Amino acid sequence: MLGKFFQKPGSEYSDRVPPGQHLTNGFPVLTYGQTPEVHRETWQFRVWGSAQEVTFTWEDFMAMPQSNFTADFHCVTTWSKLDVQWTGVKVLDFMKQVEVDPKAAHIMEHCYGGYTTNIAIEDFLREENFFAHTLFGEPLPADHGGPLRLVVPHLYAWKSAKWINGLEFLDKEELGFWERNGYHRRGEPWAVERYSDR
Ligand SMILES: Nc1nc2c(c(=O)[nH]1)N[C@H]1C(S)=C(S)[C@@H](COP(=O)(O)O)O[C@H]1N2
Ligand SMILES: [Mo]
């Protein structure tokens, strides 16, 4: 059964598949708990902590520059999906509207439904990171984080918060949901940072 969905990386792709990962052609849904119901009309995205507090509406987000992205997606449970196509807002474009305190060094990503995950500022402020509202040309399905999720291609996908609704800027690192429950604080797939070493 497993063989139908998961393949050993062929030589063509092996340089894109991190150690211990297998390719999938489908797009599994990985959620801890329920899919929250989120409506664009009431959707809000808040920035707070060591930053100027500000709240964005759905219209605010749609008025930001929109870009297309193709990115590989690596789940720590060992599946990887290559060349996922998304549309949304670059993190660096979004951040032009946010004023961060110089002492801020970390971020807690917050979500509808209560999920959290932490990320260092330098891992967040990267050219290839984006907020996505469209997946393969269709509105991002609720199970995959619609209406809006973060995508951080260079880290394991648990950092790519679905239903994201806030960024809490922090001077010191705090741990998110999976990081408190044994996952690595950073989660870089090429370094196989799956589990906490503490
Ligand atoms: N809010 C929220 N975001 C989340 C998760 C979650 O449970 N809740 N799971 C994470 C994990 S472990 C993975 S692998 C990806 C899976 O995204 P997908 O369901 O679109 O494949 O979302 C991440 N973002
Ligand atoms: Mo995952």
Side-chain angles (χ1 to χ4, degrees):
M1 226 9 235
L2 217 60
K4 190 170 167 213
F5 297 105
F6 295 93
Q7 312 153 220
K8 284 262 182 238
S11 53
E12 194 184 347
Y13 297 120
S14 55
D15 60 338
R16 294 173 59 189
V17 182
Q21 296 292 110
H22 299 274
L23 289 181
T24 177
N25 290 320
F27 197 172
V29 168
L30 251 285
T31 302
Y32 184 84
Q34 302 277 311
T35 292
E37 225 184 272
V38 185
H39 301 282
R40 287 170 180 75
E41 306 76 53
T42 50
W43 184 90
Q44 292 207 316
F45 188 103
R46 186 164 80 104
V47 169
W48 77 99
S50 294
Q52 180 99 54
E53 177 151 355
V54 57
T55 301
F56 299 95
T57 64
W58 187 257
E59 288 69 39
D60 294 334
F61 245 86
M62 294 306 107
M64 294 177 197
Q66 304 291 315
S67 311
N68 295 318
F69 307 89
T70 300
D72 299 346
F73 197 86
H74 307 295
C75 172
V76 70
T77 64
T78 75
W79 57 269
S80 290
K81 182 171 180 60
L82 303 183
D83 294 326
V84 186
Q85 290 175 35
W86 311 87
T87 307
V89 176
K90 267 186 198 187
V91 162
L92 294 184
D93 284 335
F94 167 77
M95 289 300 292
K96 288 174 186 160
Q97 302 197 25
V98 174
E99 212 176 301
V100 180
D101 295 355
K103 60 186 184 346
H106 292 271
I107 297 170
M108 189 67 73
E109 306 170 18
H110 291 266
C111 305
Y112 286 102
Y115 182 87
T116 55
T117 183
N118 59 278
I119 188 167
I121 286 234
E122 64 265 26
D123 278 322
F124 182 69
L125 296 180
R126 284 173 64 134
E127 178 66 29
E128 73 268 25
N129 297 343
F130 56 92
F131 297 97
H133 53 67
T134 297
L135 173 63
F136 291 112
E138 302 287 339
L140 181 59
D143 283 353
H144 284 298
L148 191 89
R149 79 178 301 165
L150 179 67
V151 180
V152 179
H154 77 288
L155 299 178
Y156 283 121
W158 86 79
K159 301 290 187 180
S160 293
K162 303 195 281 190
W163 316 291
I164 191 163
N165 70 354
L167 298 174
E168 178 186 6
F169 285 83
L170 303 165
D171 302 346
K172 290 204 191 80
E173 183 174 49
E174 291 179 20
L175 300 181
F177 173 73
W178 281 121
E179 294 85 358
R180 286 194 306 273
N181 286 285
Y183 280 4
H184 197 277
R185 54 179 59 205
R186 177 154 189 256
E188 210 277 306
W190 295 95
V192 200
E193 293 174 338
R194 296 181 196 277
Y195 305 110
S196 166
D197 47 12
R198 289 155 304 125

